[in-house]
Amino acid sequence: MRVQIIKPCGFCVGVDEAIKLALNTKKNNPTKRVVVLGMLVHNNDALKTLNEGGVETLYIKEKSLEELAYLAPKEAIIVLSAHGHSQKIEDILNKRGISYIDATCPFVKKAQREIKEIVAKNKQIIYIGKKNHPEANAQLSISNNVFLYEDRKTFDFNQIEDESPYVIAQTTLLADDVEKEFEYIKTNIPNAKFIKGVCNASQARQDAINKLNDDIDALIIVGGKNSNNSKSLYIAALSKYKNKKVFFIENEDELNKKDLLGLSNIAVASGTSTPDFVVKRIVEYLTSI
């Protein structure tokens, strides 16, 4: 069986930096608890790596943060997710005197700066994103003038009073889908202005899938089931290769040998939060068949 890895593959720069930041924080502070609020990245295998390195993951809702009495300020360091966070979280941690480190992806931070600059000018923003995704929640928390646009059928354009609002998208979405929604928004608000939101790492992987030779028998997308950029890759693959087998798995444990019998050419692509070692194990398994 021939197996080709679609590049880029493995962690993107933002995820790689976030993982290293958390692990190095524990290494440099061996006697302290290093705790990530929520999933640092959306991949269970990556989180296992953090756990093995002594980094804890704490699943807690923002409204409960003030009750973190068991996190002694002098004994704990908080790591904030790569997806971004609201200012309220920093305010609570500062109030309790708990040290924290910001692992927000640089591309997400760039979008945050742009949103803050725009709302400071009393402009409104239509944010194309997924409801309750941590990145979307963080961006929406910046201002009441940022409005979530998830579905064109349910979005209320009457709430937009600005004749020329800005439109920005969650970094993990499909660029083609974002472009289609922007064109639809312009049919309702002709003077709307678009700011590129999809990150370069996600876009590069989507482009690589679209340019893949058509001689493959199957395409395997590797990523966390709650990873939006991995889901986007899967959707892109399904759309591009309608007559091919397309699988979406988190790791090699989800491979079924029966599904792979008779296949001679398989391509493997990964989301931006998928560890290299997971892709390597999948390739080793496939080549052994």
Side-chain angles (χ1 to χ4, degrees):
M1 179 181 291
R2 178 173 173 242
V3 181
Q4 55 177 313
I5 299 175
I6 301 176
K7 296 183 178 181
C9 184
F11 290 155
C12 66
V13 173
V15 169
D16 189 49
E17 289 181 353
I19 296 289
K20 288 179 179 176
L21 182 60
L23 291 174
N24 286 335
T25 298
K26 180 60 181 177
K27 182 179 179 180
N28 296 330
N29 300 274
T31 62
K32 292 188 176 183
R33 295 178 65 191
V34 176
V35 183
V36 180
L37 288 188
M39 297 182 77
L40 183 65
V41 297
H42 284 161
N43 186 281
N44 288 321
D45 288 286
L47 297 185
K48 288 179 184 177
T49 300
L50 290 175
N51 186 57
E52 291 167 357
V55 177
E56 304 173 43
T57 298
L58 183 62
Y59 301 94
I60 189 167
K61 294 183 178 179
E62 184 176 306
K63 63 182 179 182
S64 303
L65 284 174
E66 294 185 26
E67 301 171 9
L68 297 180
Y70 55 90
L71 281 180
K74 293 183 180 180
E75 299 174 359
I77 301 176
I78 294 292
V79 179
L80 300 176
S81 167
H83 305 104
H85 57 276
S86 70
Q87 182 59 45
K88 181 181 178 182
I89 290 178
E90 289 192 27
D91 292 341
I92 292 172
L93 294 174
N94 286 328
K95 178 182 177 181
R96 294 213 58 243
I98 298 177
S99 299
Y100 62 89
I101 294 175
D102 187 0
T104 303
C105 165
F107 207 84
V108 175
K109 279 187 176 182
K110 177 177 180 292
Q112 288 176 342
R113 290 193 298 269
E114 291 174 328
I115 290 174
K116 289 178 180 179
E117 290 172 0
I118 292 168
V119 296
K121 299 175 183 177
N122 294 319
K123 300 290 292 180
Q124 291 184 317
I125 295 175
I126 298 174
Y127 184 84
I128 302 175
K130 299 292 183 180
K131 185 177 181 180
N132 292 325
H133 187 283
E135 181 185 333
N137 289 344
Q139 308 297 45
L140 292 169
S141 73
I142 293 175
S143 169
N144 289 331
N145 272 326
V146 183
F147 300 85
L148 179 65
Y149 177 106
E150 184 177 33
D151 188 333
R152 63 174 64 181
K153 295 179 181 178
T154 58
F155 187 76
D156 181 12
F157 281 96
N158 292 323
Q159 63 189 326
I160 306 300
E161 300 174 352
D162 195 333
E163 294 183 356
S164 57
Y166 286 82
V167 180
I168 192 168
Q170 187 175 313
T171 62
T172 57
L173 300 181
L174 286 172
D176 290 345
D177 289 347
V178 170
E179 183 64 29
K180 290 175 184 176
E181 296 309 319
F182 176 62
E183 291 304 321
Y184 177 77
I185 290 171
K186 289 200 71 172
T187 64
N188 291 272
I189 310 177
N191 294 324
K193 303 173 183 177
F194 181 64
I195 296 178
K196 182 180 180 293
V198 177
C199 82
N200 295 330
S202 296
Q203 185 62 55
R205 291 163 200 251
Q206 293 169 20
D207 291 343
I209 284 180
N210 289 330
K211 295 176 182 177
L212 188 64
N213 290 332
D214 199 40
D215 61 349
I216 60 169
D217 299 315
L219 177 59
I220 297 176
I221 306 298
V222 188
K225 295 301 172 62
N226 54 354
S227 164
N228 197 72
N229 82 84
S230 296
K231 289 179 184 177
S232 294
L233 287 180
Y234 179 56
I235 293 171
L238 287 174
S239 176
K240 176 71 174 180
Y241 304 101
K242 294 182 175 65
N243 299 321
K244 309 290 184 180
K245 286 188 175 182
V246 180
F247 305 96
F248 182 21
I249 64 173
E250 189 155 358
N251 52 47
E252 72 279 7
D253 294 336
E254 296 181 9
L255 286 171
N256 189 329
K257 189 173 182 179
K258 291 181 180 179
D259 295 332
L260 304 171
L261 293 177
L263 303 178
S264 59
N265 190 355
I266 297 179
V268 179
S270 77
T272 59
S273 54
T274 304
D276 282 323
F277 66 81
V278 173
V279 177
K280 181 180 179 181
R281 291 199 301 242
I282 289 172
V283 172
E284 288 175 348
Y285 175 81
L286 292 174
T287 53
S288 72
I289 299 177

